[in-house]
Amino acid sequence: MIGILQSVVKWNATGKDVSIENLNHGFTHVFESTFETKEGLAEYLAHPVHLEFANGFLSSLDKVLVVDFKPTTVDI
């Protein structure tokens, strides 16, 4: 799917929770996608390939958390 939408997806990664803090609230996996622009995200969300995948995949999950954010640099 990402290959088809490569023009709008800047980065894509997935992984399983390995935290020892036990703060995952039952979430076990992460799917992360980064987009150059808000318009790119909107194009991705509306694309028929994404919609077909999401409708099939999401229905097989117990719960889902979606977070859209604009990265911010924090000085520590």
Side-chain angles (χ1 to χ4, degrees):
M1 176 178 65
I2 297 302
I4 294 170
L5 297 168
Q6 196 169 12
S7 64
V8 296
V9 179
K10 178 180 174 182
W11 170 257
N12 186 13
T14 185
K16 185 173 183 182
D17 177 47
V18 295
S19 175
I20 61 172
E21 297 176 293
N22 199 27
L23 298 173
N24 61 19
H25 301 281
F27 292 98
T28 59
H29 291 76
V30 172
F31 299 89
E32 176 188 358
S33 298
T34 303
F35 301 87
E36 290 285 351
T37 65
K38 288 181 183 180
E39 294 79 16
L41 171 59
E43 182 180 340
Y44 171 81
L45 292 174
H47 196 283
V49 172
H50 168 75
L51 292 172
E52 180 180 350
F53 171 78
N55 289 333
F57 182 68
L58 293 177
S59 66
S60 69
L61 303 176
D62 291 331
K63 60 183 180 176
V64 175
L65 173 67
V66 175
V67 177
D68 296 327
F69 68 97
K70 182 177 179 180
T72 304
T73 302
V74 178
D75 293 324
I76 298 178

